[in-house]
Amino acid sequence: MKIAIAYESKYGNGKKCMEFLKEELAKNRHEVDLFSVREKNPNETGAADLYVFSAPVHAGNVAGKMKKYVKKAMFPKEGAKYALVATSGSGKCEKCFATLEGLLDPKGLQKAVDGLSILVTGMKGPCEEGYEARITEFAKKLTV
């Protein structure tokens, strides 16, 4: 399966989580492209079977750079799926997920699984204890 993981990460917590997710998916021989939305043109997202979007929650909603990226992104593969991950100091990511789902669903992507919330302790992290096990379980659900 070809998987594209796009992340936004201000303090590095989201990046660290998505690097771990990439390793978990690669163990099962999936082809994984990991990139920051700051480094890639939304029109060059490329074809994938599954897209994973990871963003921090700012003021209760998805980070602006991810929102802007998803609005402009082109998804060339019909029937592709998506999954969402959010890092948050409060652990409350429902509004973030709803915003991204509202942008992705009209583009023809199908939600693969419910979003994964990762709690970040303190303003700059680190991620909650045991986040790796939660990401491992999430990876298993993504590829069923």
Side-chain angles (χ1 to χ4, degrees), residues 41-57:
N41 183 318
N43 294 322
E44 298 171 355
T45 302
D49 301 303
L50 173 69
Y51 298 91
V52 178
F53 299 95
S54 173
V57 174

Side-chain angles (χ1 to χ4, degrees), residues 86-107:
T87 54
S88 168
S90 69
K92 296 180 182 178
C93 302
E94 295 81 15
K95 187 175 178 185
C96 172
F97 293 148
T99 298
L100 288 173
E101 288 171 5
L103 295 170
L104 291 164
D105 290 344
K107 292 182 179 248

Side-chain angles (χ1 to χ4, degrees), residues 26-134:
K27 285 179 186 177
N28 293 313
R29 298 193 177 126
H30 296 290
E31 181 184 337
V32 185
D33 180 24
L34 174 69
F35 59 91
S36 167
V37 296
R38 295 173 186 234
E39 300 167 349
K40 196 166 213 171
N41 183 318
N43 294 322
E44 298 171 355
T45 302
D49 301 303
L50 173 69
Y51 298 91
V52 178
F53 299 95
S54 173
V57 174
H58 292 161
N61 208 342
V62 64
K65 286 187 183 353
M66 178 59 78
K67 193 163 142 181
K68 188 183 292 187
Y69 184 89
V70 170
K71 280 183 181 179
K72 293 180 179 181
M74 305 296 290
F75 304 102
K77 184 164 182 173
E78 191 173 317
K81 295 183 178 186
Y82 73 87
L84 306 173
V85 178
T87 54
S88 168
S90 69
K92 296 180 182 178
C93 302
E94 295 81 15
K95 187 175 178 185
C96 172
F97 293 148
T99 298
L100 288 173
E101 288 171 5
L103 295 170
L104 291 164
D105 290 344
K107 292 182 179 248
L109 298 180
Q110 300 171 3
K111 184 173 153 182
V113 296
D114 288 334
L116 174 64
S117 301
I118 302 290
L119 181 66
V120 175
T121 59
M123 178 62 102
K124 296 181 181 180
C127 294
E128 66 184 316
E129 189 174 313
Y131 79 93
E132 296 99 334
R134 295 185 63 224

